[in-house]
Amino acid sequence: MRLGLVLGDQLSFNLDLLQALDPARDALLMAEVEEEARYVPHHPQKIMLIFSAMRHFAEALREQGWRVHYVTLDAPGNSGSIAGELRRWQAALDACEVHVTECGEWRLEQAMTECGLPLVWHADRRFLCSRQAFARWAGGRPQLRMEDFYRGMRKRCGLLLEPDGRPVGGAWNFDRENRKALPRRLHGPFPAHFTQDAITLEVVALVRSRFSGHYGAVDGFDYPVTHAEAQSLWQHFLDFGLAAFGDFQDAMAENEPFLFHARVSAALNIGLLDVRQLCADVERAYRQGSVPLNAAEGFIRQLIGWREYVRGIYWLRMPEYAELNGLDNQRALPAFYWTGDTDMRCMAQVIGQTLALGYAHHIQRLMVTGNFALLSGIAPPHICEWYLAVYLDAFDWVELPNTLGMVMHADGGFLGSKPYCASGRYIQRMSDHCGACRYRVDLAVEEDACPFNALYWHFLMRHRQALGNNPRLAPVYLNLNGLPEERRDALWQRGEQLLAKLDVGQRL
Ligand code: FAD
Ligand code: DLZ
Ligand code: SF4
């Protein structure tokens, strides 16, 4: 007989491995293991999601006639690692072949490659662009640009095209129409809710007893754990969120964790949703006239553009990508990232909802917690570990390029041609946080001035050599150069003070 491994983020009926094996003769292995649960201090709800979804998927596979060997975390003999379980079960079952699917993380793929068994590898066809196809696309290009990749993907997938191959609406990208601030009194739709069945309740109890020391709320788990539930979360977004997604993609608001975002990344990343279906549904909604083009195009761009692009870059550049530190940042991560205990209202809101829900939407990750880490020079491994631990959707293939590349600019501009640095004014424009903040966003150097402001100018001054010639930053350097010298000195001093406070663990 042959044995097939299904990992906790591979919970899809479309895995090649399920086609290659035969339910009548072969068996599947799924294992909850300490090593995967602890390689970073995952948010307890992330572990709940993975274990509960794994257990539900094992049941669904059994219903389809598969023999599934499911190893629970506390099962006697559990070796504690995926490689260990592969060796143990191959020997116990005397399997003649062991089939596996490409991993989402270089770390685990390496461990499996070195496990001592000859493995039969299958490509992960849940993605639209294979690792090889991305490498072919990248090969020979002087510069990789997401926009070029995205246009190629639109053509290859035949999405939002006129019959003659031109983009619908006459443009490939409606990014400029994705940046509206939220009008007062407009709220996101009521969120979809999910009840905890017996399987989930058991997992919640297990995680509570074993992982409550990890940062993040143990209570309040409210996420789909089956394909059917994930589908209903998706339908909820199609019905109530998508139409306004385009306009308010970059907006943030007090106590509005989801706004018009789909909240589907975790379900998608672990295999409960399929990217092809999501794109087809969004295109259909546009063609039927129920959502505008800036929403449909914006959403499809995230999925077939950014999502596939960052994955391509990850596999193109690993393992050395994880070591990059282009701006030579060495600062430790401030403790408030793990607690939310800060007077900076925007940071407290984003970190607070992250700890409560394991979720923040893109602009919160990029322009609040990410921007602060960039401006204050946090060492990339520390901030990457944080993002990998605290979000339900976080896996290295997607978290690392977004954090190390997009946020920290640590790859020297390989992923994004300019750092997304911004002062408090950006956050003020895109949110209503500043009005409720103890700091004043209109000030930069005073005791109660918004820390983002001086840190922004300090960042630009301290990285003048690396960034001063970047054409996309030319206007901001022009601005900086135009400031009177005393003002520049004052901004530098205030920046130094703030960084010194961070270094001694003082509260901001
Ligand atoms: P929506 O705003 O509704 O977007 C729809 C979908 O587009 C998402 O579900 C996601 O699958 C995809 N998407 C959007 N932007 C990106 C992107 N930049 N990269 C990849 N996919 C994208 N996303 C993850 O799935 N896992 C991560 O670990 C992760 N880490 C991030 C770290 C940082 C520092 C930043 C800036 C972004 C990160 N993202 C990550 C991307 C993005 O923030 C999340 O995909 C998004 O917030 C998920 O919420 P949603 O499903 O409501 O997304
Ligand atoms: C994230 C995670 C966790 C917490 N636990 C498990 C587990 O016990 N068993 C498993 O197969 N997968 C788990 N995962 C997902 C893996 O970490 C994921 O497969 C790798 O990060 C590679 O993508
Ligand atoms: Fe954030 Fe500054 Fe606004 Fe406070 S004033 S909410 S710290 S941007």
Side-chain angles (χ1 to χ4, degrees):
M1 57 83 62
R2 299 170 298 175
L3 181 65
L5 174 75
V6 179
L7 288 168
D9 59 347
Q10 298 175 343
L11 311 179
S12 161
F13 294 108
N14 300 329
L15 291 182
D16 268 13
L17 170 155
L18 297 178
Q19 316 306 320
L21 300 181
D22 176 0
R25 290 190 300 127
D26 302 323
L28 299 174
L29 171 64
M30 299 178 73
E32 297 170 5
V33 294
E34 284 283 335
E35 194 167 271
E36 291 310 305
R38 293 198 194 272
Y39 68 92
V40 289
H42 297 291
H43 195 303
Q45 294 182 36
K46 180 177 175 189
I47 307 177
M48 290 173 194
L49 168 69
I50 303 281
F51 286 5
S52 177
M54 283 175 72
R55 291 181 186 197
H56 281 94
F57 191 58
E59 285 301 310
L61 288 168
R62 285 188 186 120
E63 277 164 26
Q64 290 195 349
W66 287 96
R67 187 151 52 103
V68 183
H69 297 283
Y70 192 96
V71 186
T72 57
L73 193 73
D74 291 330
N78 186 335
S79 62
S81 72
I82 294 293
E85 286 310 278
L86 278 176
R87 283 193 295 267
R88 188 163 78 96
W89 285 89
Q90 185 277 331
L93 301 169
D94 195 21
C96 62
E97 284 177 10
V98 178
H99 288 241
V100 297
T101 305
E102 288 173 342
C103 296
E105 306 205 343
W106 189 88
R107 162 195 69 79
L108 184 58
E109 195 159 294
Q110 197 62 16
M112 282 167 53
T113 307
E114 292 166 0
C115 80
L117 298 173
L119 301 175
V120 181
W121 286 92
H122 295 270
D124 192 342
R125 302 220 186 273
R126 288 177 301 151
F127 293 92
L128 298 167
C129 183
S130 69
R131 296 179 188 181
Q132 295 75 11
F134 190 88
R136 278 198 301 279
W137 174 81
R141 278 172 199 263
Q143 208 194 1
L144 305 188
R145 290 182 58 230
M146 198 298 283
E147 186 60 27
D148 297 336
F149 173 77
Y150 166 57
R151 290 181 189 189
M153 290 295 285
R154 281 270 294 278
K155 291 180 201 159
R156 234 186 72 193
C157 302
L159 286 164
L160 293 177
L161 298 180
E162 300 290 2
D164 64 3
R166 285 180 303 118
V168 295
W172 291 100
N173 185 319
F174 293 86
D175 197 20
R176 288 224 182 90
E177 294 176 33
N178 295 146
R179 296 177 191 155
K180 287 199 183 127
L182 202 69
R184 255 174 209 284
R185 282 191 278 279
L186 180 62
H187 299 283
F190 56 95
H193 288 297
F194 300 90
T195 45
Q196 300 181 359
D197 67 2
I199 293 180
T200 301
L201 285 171
E202 202 173 306
V203 166
V204 167
L206 171 76
V207 173
R208 187 188 295 278
S209 75
R210 299 288 295 274
F211 301 100
S212 56
H214 290 193
Y215 290 97
V218 178
D219 292 323
F221 177 73
D222 186 10
Y223 205 76
V225 291
T226 64
H227 289 80
E229 287 181 348
Q231 199 53 45
S232 85
L233 175 65
W234 172 242
Q235 191 58 48
H236 184 274
F237 171 68
L238 286 176
D239 292 342
F240 304 111
L242 179 60
F245 173 84
D247 282 353
F248 302 116
Q249 201 176 323
D250 287 2
M252 296 176 279
E254 292 273 302
N255 304 314
E256 286 268 6
F258 309 125
L259 278 176
F260 299 97
H261 293 271
R263 216 184 136 198
V264 293
S265 47
L268 184 59
N269 293 349
I270 67 173
L272 299 185
L273 289 169
D274 174 60
V275 68
R276 293 169 185 83
Q277 185 216 323
L278 304 195
C279 290
D281 288 349
V282 170
E283 170 148 18
R284 191 174 321 108
Y286 165 68
R287 302 256 183 209
Q288 286 170 349
S290 41
V291 304
L293 183 55
N294 74 331
E297 187 283 319
F299 198 84
I300 285 177
R301 175 162 20 98
Q302 306 311 317
L303 286 180
I304 67 167
W306 281 112
R307 184 168 185 269
E308 298 277 336
Y309 179 69
V310 298
R311 177 174 183 263
I313 290 200
Y314 179 81
W315 288 107
L316 191 69
R317 296 289 305 270
M318 280 300 280
E320 82 279 2
Y321 195 76
E323 308 299 321
L324 298 177
N325 187 0
L327 296 177
D328 194 24
N329 289 334
Q330 304 298 341
R331 185 155 282 108
L333 188 71
F336 59 72
Y337 269 79
W338 298 107
T339 61
D341 183 19
T342 166
D343 282 339
M344 291 181 284
R345 181 79 184 181
C346 53
M347 291 287 280
Q349 282 270 312
V350 176
I351 296 169
Q353 78 168 65
T354 297
L355 295 175
L357 307 167
Y359 177 87
H361 61 74
H362 185 68
I363 217 70
Q364 295 177 308
R365 298 188 205 194
L366 182 65
M367 300 310 292
V368 179
T369 44
N371 187 27
F372 189 86
L374 173 72
L375 300 184
S376 53
I378 307 303
H382 296 202
I383 187 70
C384 289
E385 186 196 31
W386 184 78
Y387 276 102
L388 191 55
V390 297
Y391 290 109
L392 259 54
D393 59 20
F395 296 94
D396 210 33
W397 65 266
V398 52
E399 175 278 321
L400 186 75
N402 269 301
T403 311
L404 187 142
M406 195 184 303
V407 161
M408 298 306 292
H409 206 65
D411 62 1
F414 187 74
L415 187 130
S417 52
K418 97 177 195 15
Y420 287 88
C421 52
S423 70
R425 283 208 180 283
Y426 174 87
I427 296 172
Q428 182 194 28
R429 196 166 66 243
M430 298 310 298
S431 80
D432 57 357
H433 298 315
C434 299
C437 185
R438 122 158 157 73
Y439 293 108
R440 282 185 51 185
V441 73
D442 55 331
L443 301 178
V445 298
E446 294 74 1
E447 215 289 306
D448 56 348
C450 167
F452 279 88
N453 290 337
L455 287 175
Y456 171 72
W457 294 110
H458 193 279
F459 169 82
L460 290 169
M461 288 187 256
R462 79 178 181 271
H463 293 301
R464 194 185 272 278
Q465 213 177 355
L467 303 175
N469 292 325
N470 184 322
R472 297 195 60 200
L473 290 177
V476 294
Y477 274 104
L478 211 64
N479 241 341
L480 176 64
N481 297 339
L483 295 177
E485 200 173 326
E486 317 80 74
R487 180 69 177 167
R488 281 203 300 265
D489 284 348
L491 288 166
W492 179 263
Q493 286 314 325
R494 165 85 171 146
E496 289 282 292
Q497 267 172 21
L498 290 165
L499 294 175
K501 277 188 170 186
L502 289 181
D503 287 341
V504 295
Q506 262 184 43
R507 198 165 180 281
L508 279 189

Coordinates of all heavy atoms in Angstrom, one line a residue, residues 192-259:
A192 N -20.4 37.6 9.5 CA -20.9 36.2 9.6 C -20.4 35.6 10.9 O -19.3 35.8 11.3 CB -20.4 35.4 8.4
H193 N -21.3 34.7 11.5 CA -20.9 34.0 12.7 C -20.9 32.5 12.5 O -21.7 32.0 11.7 CB -21.8 34.4 13.9 CG -21.5 35.8 14.3 ND1 -20.3 36.2 14.9 CD2 -22.3 36.9 14.3 CE1 -20.4 37.4 15.2 NE2 -21.6 37.9 14.9
F194 N -20.1 31.8 13.3 CA -20.1 30.3 13.1 C -20.2 29.7 14.5 O -19.5 30.1 15.4 CB -18.8 29.9 12.4 CG -18.7 30.5 11.1 CD1 -18.1 31.8 10.9 CD2 -19.3 29.9 10.0 CE1 -18.1 32.4 9.6 CE2 -19.2 30.5 8.7 CZ -18.7 31.7 8.5
T195 N -21.0 28.6 14.6 CA -21.1 28.0 15.9 C -20.1 26.9 16.0 O -19.6 26.4 15.1 CB -22.5 27.4 16.1 OG1 -22.8 26.7 14.9 CG2 -23.6 28.4 16.3
Q196 N -19.8 26.6 17.3 CA -18.8 25.5 17.5 C -19.4 24.2 17.7 O -20.2 24.0 18.7 CB -18.0 25.9 18.8 CG -17.3 27.3 18.6 CD -16.4 27.7 19.8 OE1 -16.4 27.0 20.8 NE2 -15.8 28.8 19.7
D197 N -19.1 23.2 16.9 CA -19.7 21.9 17.0 C -18.9 21.1 18.0 O -17.9 21.6 18.6 CB -19.9 21.2 15.7 CG -18.6 20.9 15.0 OD1 -17.5 21.2 15.6 OD2 -18.6 20.3 13.9
A198 N -19.2 19.8 18.2 CA -18.5 19.0 19.2 C -17.0 18.9 18.9 O -16.2 18.9 19.8 CB -19.2 17.6 19.2
I199 N -16.7 18.8 17.6 CA -15.2 18.6 17.2 C -14.5 19.9 17.6 O -13.4 19.9 18.3 CB -15.1 18.4 15.7 CG1 -15.7 17.0 15.4 CG2 -13.6 18.5 15.3 CD1 -15.5 16.6 13.9
T200 N -15.1 21.1 17.3 CA -14.4 22.3 17.6 C -14.3 22.5 19.1 O -13.3 23.0 19.6 CB -15.2 23.5 16.9 OG1 -15.2 23.3 15.5 CG2 -14.5 24.8 17.2
L201 N -15.4 22.2 19.8 CA -15.4 22.4 21.3 C -14.3 21.6 21.9 O -13.6 22.0 22.8 CB -16.7 22.0 21.9 CG -17.9 23.0 21.6 CD1 -19.2 22.4 22.1 CD2 -17.6 24.3 22.4
E202 N -14.0 20.4 21.4 CA -13.0 19.5 21.9 C -11.6 20.1 21.6 O -10.7 20.2 22.5 CB -13.1 18.1 21.2 CG -12.4 17.0 22.0 CD -12.7 15.7 21.4 OE1 -13.9 15.3 21.2 OE2 -11.7 15.0 21.1
V203 N -11.4 20.7 20.4 CA -10.2 21.3 20.1 C -10.0 22.6 20.9 O -8.9 22.8 21.4 CB -10.2 21.7 18.5 CG1 -9.0 22.6 18.2 CG2 -10.0 20.4 17.7
V204 N -11.0 23.4 21.1 CA -10.9 24.6 21.9 C -10.4 24.2 23.3 O -9.5 24.9 23.8 CB -12.3 25.3 21.9 CG1 -12.3 26.4 23.0 CG2 -12.6 25.9 20.6
A205 N -11.0 23.2 23.9 CA -10.5 22.7 25.2 C -9.1 22.3 25.2 O -8.3 22.6 26.1 CB -11.4 21.6 25.7
L206 N -8.7 21.6 24.2 CA -7.3 21.1 24.1 C -6.3 22.3 24.0 O -5.3 22.4 24.7 CB -7.1 20.3 22.8 CG -5.7 19.9 22.4 CD1 -5.1 18.8 23.3 CD2 -5.6 19.4 20.9
V207 N -6.7 23.3 23.1 CA -5.8 24.4 22.9 C -5.8 25.3 24.2 O -4.7 25.8 24.6 CB -6.3 25.3 21.7 CG1 -5.5 26.6 21.6 CG2 -6.1 24.4 20.4
R208 N -6.9 25.4 24.8 CA -7.0 26.2 26.1 C -6.0 25.6 27.1 O -5.3 26.2 27.8 CB -8.4 26.2 26.6 CG -8.6 27.1 27.8 CD -10.0 26.8 28.4 NE -11.1 27.2 27.4 CZ -11.5 28.5 27.3 NH1 -10.9 29.5 28.0 NH2 -12.4 28.8 26.4
S209 N -6.0 24.2 27.2 CA -5.2 23.6 28.2 C -3.7 23.6 27.8 O -2.8 23.6 28.6 CB -5.7 22.2 28.5 OG -5.3 21.3 27.4
R210 N -3.4 23.6 26.5 CA -2.0 23.5 26.1 C -1.3 24.7 25.6 O -0.1 24.8 25.6 CB -1.9 22.4 25.0 CG -2.4 21.0 25.4 CD -1.4 20.3 26.4 NE -0.2 20.1 25.7 CZ 0.0 18.9 25.0 NH1 -0.9 18.0 24.9 NH2 1.1 18.8 24.3
F211 N -2.1 25.7 25.1 CA -1.5 26.8 24.4 C -1.9 28.2 24.9 O -1.8 29.2 24.2 CB -1.7 26.7 22.9 CG -1.2 25.5 22.3 CD1 -2.0 24.4 22.0 CD2 0.2 25.3 22.0 CE1 -1.5 23.2 21.4 CE2 0.7 24.2 21.4 CZ -0.2 23.1 21.2
S212 N -2.6 28.2 26.1 CA -3.1 29.5 26.5 C -1.9 30.5 26.9 O -2.2 31.7 27.0 CB -4.1 29.3 27.6 OG -3.4 28.6 28.7
G213 N -0.7 30.0 27.0 CA 0.4 30.8 27.2 C 0.8 31.6 26.0 O 1.6 32.6 26.1
H214 N 0.3 31.3 24.8 CA 0.6 32.0 23.6 C -0.2 33.3 23.6 O -1.3 33.4 24.2 CB 0.2 31.2 22.3 CG 1.1 30.0 22.1 ND1 1.1 29.4 20.9 CD2 2.1 29.4 22.9 CE1 2.0 28.4 21.0 NE2 2.6 28.4 22.1
Y215 N 0.3 34.4 23.0 CA -0.4 35.6 22.9 C -1.6 35.5 22.1 O -1.6 34.8 21.1 CB 0.5 36.7 22.4 CG 1.6 37.1 23.3 CD1 2.8 36.6 23.2 CD2 1.3 38.0 24.4 CE1 3.8 36.9 24.1 CE2 2.3 38.3 25.3 CZ 3.6 37.8 25.2 OH 4.5 38.1 26.1
G216 N -2.7 36.2 22.4 CA -3.9 36.1 21.7 C -5.0 35.5 22.5 O -4.8 34.6 23.4
A217 N -6.3 35.9 22.2 CA -7.4 35.5 23.0 C -7.7 34.0 22.8 O -7.8 33.6 21.6 CB -8.6 36.3 22.7
V218 N -8.0 33.3 23.9 CA -8.4 31.9 23.8 C -9.9 31.8 23.5 O -10.4 30.9 22.8 CB -8.1 31.1 25.1 CG1 -8.5 29.7 25.0 CG2 -6.6 31.2 25.3
D219 N -10.6 32.8 24.0 CA -12.1 32.9 23.8 C -12.4 33.6 22.5 O -11.7 34.4 22.0 CB -12.7 33.6 25.0 CG -12.6 32.9 26.3 OD1 -12.7 31.6 26.2 OD2 -12.4 33.5 27.3
G220 N -13.6 33.3 22.0 CA -14.2 34.0 20.9 C -13.8 33.5 19.5 O -14.0 34.1 18.5
F221 N -13.4 32.2 19.5 CA -13.1 31.6 18.1 C -14.4 31.6 17.3 O -15.4 31.0 17.7 CB -12.5 30.2 18.3 CG -12.3 29.5 17.0 CD1 -11.2 29.9 16.2 CD2 -13.1 28.5 16.5 CE1 -10.9 29.3 15.0 CE2 -12.9 27.9 15.3 CZ -11.8 28.3 14.6
D222 N -14.3 32.2 16.1 CA -15.5 32.3 15.3 C -15.1 32.3 13.8 O -15.2 33.3 13.1 CB -16.2 33.7 15.7 CG -17.5 33.9 15.0 OD1 -18.1 32.9 14.4 OD2 -18.1 35.0 15.1
Y223 N -14.7 31.1 13.4 CA -14.2 31.1 12.0 C -14.6 29.7 11.4 O -14.8 28.7 12.1 CB -12.6 31.2 12.0 CG -12.1 31.7 10.7 CD1 -12.2 33.0 10.4 CD2 -11.6 30.8 9.8 CE1 -11.8 33.5 9.2 CE2 -11.2 31.3 8.5 CZ -11.3 32.7 8.2 OH -10.9 33.1 7.0
P224 N -14.8 29.7 10.0 CA -15.3 28.5 9.4 C -14.2 27.4 9.5 O -13.0 27.7 9.4 CB -15.5 28.8 7.9 CG -15.0 30.2 7.8 CD -14.8 30.8 9.1
V225 N -14.7 26.2 9.8 CA -13.7 25.0 9.9 C -14.0 23.9 8.9 O -13.4 22.9 8.9 CB -13.7 24.5 11.3 CG1 -13.0 25.5 12.3 CG2 -15.1 24.1 11.8
T226 N -15.1 24.1 8.1 CA -15.4 23.1 7.0 C -15.5 23.8 5.7 O -15.7 25.1 5.7 CB -16.8 22.4 7.3 OG1 -17.8 23.4 7.3 CG2 -16.8 21.7 8.7
H227 N -15.6 23.1 4.6 CA -15.8 23.7 3.3 C -17.1 24.4 3.2 O -17.2 25.5 2.6 CB -15.6 22.6 2.2 CG -14.2 22.1 2.0 ND1 -13.7 21.2 2.9 CD2 -13.3 22.5 1.1 CE1 -12.4 21.0 2.5 NE2 -12.1 21.7 1.4
A228 N -18.1 23.8 3.8 CA -19.5 24.4 3.7 C -19.5 25.7 4.5 O -20.1 26.7 4.0 CB -20.5 23.4 4.3
E229 N -18.9 25.7 5.6 CA -18.9 27.0 6.4 C -18.1 28.0 5.7 O -18.5 29.2 5.7 CB -18.3 26.7 7.8 CG -19.3 26.0 8.7 CD -18.7 25.8 10.1 OE1 -17.5 26.0 10.3 OE2 -19.4 25.4 11.0
A230 N -17.0 27.6 5.1 CA -16.1 28.6 4.4 C -16.9 29.2 3.2 O -16.9 30.4 2.9 CB -14.9 28.0 3.9
Q231 N -17.7 28.3 2.6 CA -18.5 28.8 1.5 C -19.6 29.8 1.9 O -19.8 30.8 1.3 CB -19.2 27.5 0.9 CG -19.8 27.7 -0.5 CD -18.7 28.2 -1.5 OE1 -17.6 27.7 -1.5 NE2 -19.0 29.2 -2.3
S232 N -20.1 29.6 3.1 CA -21.1 30.5 3.6 C -20.5 31.9 4.0 O -21.1 32.9 3.8 CB -22.0 29.9 4.7 OG -21.4 30.1 5.9
L233 N -19.2 31.8 4.5 CA -18.5 33.1 4.7 C -18.3 33.8 3.4 O -18.5 35.1 3.3 CB -17.2 32.8 5.4 CG -16.2 34.0 5.6 CD1 -16.8 35.0 6.6 CD2 -14.8 33.5 6.1
W234 N -17.9 33.1 2.4 CA -17.7 33.7 1.1 C -19.0 34.3 0.5 O -19.0 35.4 0.0 CB -17.1 32.6 0.2 CG -16.9 33.1 -1.3 CD1 -17.5 32.5 -2.3 CD2 -16.2 34.1 -1.8 NE1 -17.2 33.2 -3.5 CE2 -16.4 34.2 -3.2 CE3 -15.3 35.1 -1.2 CZ2 -15.8 35.1 -4.0 CZ3 -14.7 36.1 -2.0 CH2 -14.9 36.1 -3.4
Q235 N -20.1 33.5 0.6 CA -21.3 34.0 0.1 C -21.8 35.3 0.8 O -22.3 36.2 0.2 CB -22.4 32.9 0.3 CG -23.7 33.2 -0.5 CD -23.5 33.4 -2.0 OE1 -22.8 32.6 -2.7 NE2 -24.0 34.5 -2.6
H236 N -21.5 35.3 2.1 CA -21.8 36.5 2.9 C -21.1 37.7 2.4 O -21.6 38.8 2.2 CB -21.4 36.2 4.4 CG -21.8 37.3 5.3 ND1 -20.9 38.4 5.6 CD2 -22.8 37.5 6.1 CE1 -21.5 39.2 6.4 NE2 -22.7 38.7 6.8
F237 N -19.8 37.5 2.0 CA -19.0 38.6 1.4 C -19.6 39.0 0.1 O -19.7 40.2 -0.2 CB -17.5 38.2 1.3 CG -16.7 39.2 0.5 CD1 -16.4 40.5 1.1 CD2 -16.2 38.9 -0.7 CE1 -15.7 41.4 0.4 CE2 -15.4 39.8 -1.4 CZ -15.2 41.1 -0.9
L238 N -19.9 38.0 -0.8 CA -20.5 38.4 -2.1 C -21.8 39.2 -1.9 O -22.0 40.2 -2.6 CB -20.8 37.1 -2.9 CG -19.6 36.3 -3.4 CD1 -20.1 35.0 -4.1 CD2 -18.8 37.2 -4.5
D239 N -22.6 38.8 -1.0 CA -23.9 39.5 -0.8 C -23.7 40.9 -0.2 O -24.5 41.8 -0.5 CB -24.8 38.6 0.1 CG -25.2 37.3 -0.6 OD1 -25.1 37.2 -1.8 OD2 -25.6 36.4 0.2
F240 N -22.8 41.0 0.8 CA -22.8 42.2 1.6 C -21.6 43.1 1.6 O -21.6 44.2 2.0 CB -23.2 41.9 3.1 CG -24.4 41.1 3.3 CD1 -24.4 39.8 3.7 CD2 -25.7 41.7 3.0 CE1 -25.6 39.1 3.8 CE2 -26.8 41.0 3.1 CZ -26.8 39.7 3.5
G241 N -20.4 42.5 1.2 CA -19.2 43.2 1.3 C -18.6 43.7 -0.1 O -18.1 44.8 -0.2
L242 N -18.7 42.8 -1.1 CA -17.9 43.0 -2.3 C -18.2 44.4 -3.0 O -17.3 45.0 -3.4 CB -18.1 41.9 -3.3 CG -17.4 42.0 -4.6 CD1 -15.9 42.1 -4.4 CD2 -17.7 40.8 -5.5
A243 N -19.5 44.7 -3.0 CA -19.8 46.0 -3.8 C -19.0 47.2 -3.3 O -18.7 48.0 -4.1 CB -21.3 46.2 -3.7
A244 N -18.8 47.3 -1.9 CA -18.1 48.4 -1.4 C -16.6 48.2 -1.2 O -15.9 49.1 -0.8 CB -18.8 48.9 -0.1
F245 N -16.2 46.9 -1.5 CA -14.8 46.6 -1.3 C -13.8 47.5 -2.0 O -12.8 48.0 -1.5 CB -14.5 45.1 -1.7 CG -13.1 44.7 -1.7 CD1 -12.5 44.2 -0.5 CD2 -12.3 44.7 -2.8 CE1 -11.2 43.8 -0.5 CE2 -11.0 44.4 -2.8 CZ -10.4 43.9 -1.6
G246 N -14.2 47.8 -3.3 CA -13.3 48.6 -4.1 C -13.1 50.0 -3.5 O -12.0 50.4 -3.3
D247 N -14.2 50.7 -3.2 CA -14.1 52.0 -2.7 C -13.3 52.1 -1.4 O -12.5 53.0 -1.2 CB -15.5 52.6 -2.4 CG -16.2 53.0 -3.7 OD1 -15.5 53.0 -4.8 OD2 -17.4 53.4 -3.7
F248 N -13.6 51.2 -0.5 CA -13.1 51.4 0.9 C -12.0 50.4 1.3 O -11.8 50.1 2.5 CB -14.3 51.3 1.9 CG -15.3 52.4 1.6 CD1 -16.6 52.0 1.2 CD2 -15.0 53.7 1.6 CE1 -17.5 53.0 0.8 CE2 -15.9 54.7 1.2 CZ -17.2 54.3 0.9
Q249 N -11.3 49.9 0.3 CA -10.3 48.9 0.5 C -9.2 49.4 1.5 O -8.6 48.6 2.3 CB -9.6 48.5 -0.8 CG -8.9 47.2 -0.9 CD -8.4 46.9 -2.3 OE1 -9.1 47.3 -3.3 NE2 -7.3 46.3 -2.4
D250 N -8.9 50.7 1.4 CA -7.8 51.2 2.3 C -8.3 52.0 3.5 O -7.5 52.6 4.2 CB -7.0 52.2 1.4 CG -6.1 51.4 0.4 OD1 -6.2 50.2 0.4 OD2 -5.3 52.1 -0.3
A251 N -9.6 51.9 3.8 CA -10.2 52.6 4.9 C -10.0 51.9 6.2 O -9.9 50.6 6.2 CB -11.6 52.9 4.7
M252 N -9.9 52.6 7.3 CA -9.8 52.0 8.6 C -10.8 52.8 9.5 O -11.0 54.0 9.3 CB -8.4 52.1 9.2 CG -7.4 51.4 8.4 SD -5.7 51.6 9.1 CE -5.3 53.2 8.4
A253 N -11.4 52.1 10.5 CA -12.3 52.8 11.4 C -12.3 52.1 12.8 O -12.1 50.9 12.9 CB -13.7 52.8 10.8
E254 N -12.6 53.0 13.8 CA -12.7 52.5 15.2 C -13.6 51.3 15.3 O -14.8 51.4 14.8 CB -13.2 53.6 16.1 CG -12.2 54.8 16.2 CD -11.2 54.6 17.3 OE1 -11.7 54.4 18.5 OE2 -10.0 54.6 17.1
N255 N -13.2 50.3 16.0 CA -14.1 49.1 16.3 C -14.7 48.5 15.0 O -15.9 48.0 15.1 CB -15.2 49.5 17.3 CG -14.6 50.1 18.5 OD1 -13.6 49.5 19.1 ND2 -15.0 51.3 19.0
E256 N -14.1 48.6 13.9 CA -14.6 48.0 12.7 C -13.5 47.1 12.1 O -12.7 47.5 11.2 CB -14.9 49.1 11.6 CG -16.1 49.9 11.9 CD -17.4 49.3 11.2 OE1 -17.3 48.2 10.6 OE2 -18.4 49.9 11.3
P257 N -13.4 45.9 12.7 CA -12.2 45.1 12.3 C -12.3 44.6 10.8 O -11.2 44.4 10.2 CB -12.3 43.9 13.3 CG -13.6 43.9 13.8 CD -14.2 45.3 13.8
F258 N -13.5 44.4 10.3 CA -13.5 43.8 9.0 C -13.9 44.8 7.9 O -13.6 44.5 6.7 CB -14.6 42.6 9.0 CG -14.4 41.6 10.1 CD1 -15.4 41.3 11.0 CD2 -13.1 41.0 10.3 CE1 -15.2 40.4 12.0 CE2 -12.9 40.1 11.3 CZ -14.0 39.8 12.2
L259 N -14.7 45.8 8.2 CA -15.2 46.7 7.2 C -15.7 45.9 6.0 O -16.5 45.0 6.1 CB -14.1 47.7 6.8 CG -14.0 48.9 7.7 CD1 -12.9 49.8 7.3 CD2 -15.3 49.7 7.8

